Amino acid sequence: NKTYFELGADIQYDNTVDNNSKCIGNGEGGDHSFSEVFDGKGYTISGIRMLSSRLAQGLFGWSWGGTVKNVILTDAIFSGSGYYAGGIVGYNQGTVENCLVIDVTVGGNGDHGAVVGVNDQGTVTNSYYRNCTVGSESNLSNAHIVTAGDYVTASIEDYSAGIEYTT
């Protein structure tokens, strides 16, 4: 049985402070990676600033069999010299569903994307982004929901509806 976590309210980080948060699940493979269920319940997480050289940056660094769903992420920055950066999950080997990323900047070395940095045999559905910058690109194509490249092995859907939100 997996442990189930859910948000009960919006979370607002102080966006004037660098490195104001650490990613959940920061280990490669099964070692300290996220393998449970996180349900954002449609609440918003905003203001995260992660500047790091670690592998796998995002709200969730490394998801290995975990599920992240119903998360709205806004006004966040994930950058530094690390590889595999994404707004919701840096390196995904699990499930990401019904997530929305707005006004988020993702950068660093290697593979990065607005929602997921690398999707390695994971599933990403009903998740999308708006007004995001990935690397040096601010007008993103649908390919930047996750990074384009050798590790993209799952079907990915880009919906512009399905999550109700206000900005």
Side-chain angles (χ1 to χ4, degrees), residues 103-123:
D103 298 323
V104 171
T105 299
V106 179
N109 292 318
D111 299 314
H112 41 278
V115 176
V116 170
V118 169
N119 192 54
D120 182 4
Q121 301 178 22
T123 303

Side-chain angles (χ1 to χ4, degrees), residues 128-148:
Y128 62 102
Y129 61 87
R130 189 168 94 184
N131 300 328
C132 292
T133 299
V134 175
S136 61
E137 298 182 43
S138 57
N139 290 323
L140 302 176
S141 67
N142 290 344
H144 284 87
I145 292 173
V146 302
T147 186

Side-chain angles (χ1 to χ4, degrees), residues 26-99:
N26 60 2
E28 183 175 342
D31 185 26
H32 303 291
S33 59
F34 183 75
S35 58
E36 308 303 330
V37 177
F38 181 88
D39 188 347
K41 303 294 277 185
Y43 289 107
T44 299
I45 300 172
S46 61
I48 292 176
R49 300 292 184 264
M50 279 188 214
L51 313 169
S52 174
S53 61
R54 293 187 58 105
L55 283 177
Q57 291 185 73
L59 180 61
F60 292 81
W62 204 293
S63 176
W64 190 56
T67 298
V68 181
K69 61 184 181 178
N70 305 318
V71 175
I72 300 172
L73 178 68
T74 67
D75 180 31
I77 298 173
F78 302 95
S79 67
S81 60
Y83 287 79
Y84 318 137
I88 301 295
V89 179
Y91 198 101
N92 183 48
Q93 294 176 301
T95 300
V96 175
E97 60 186 47
N98 203 32
C99 291

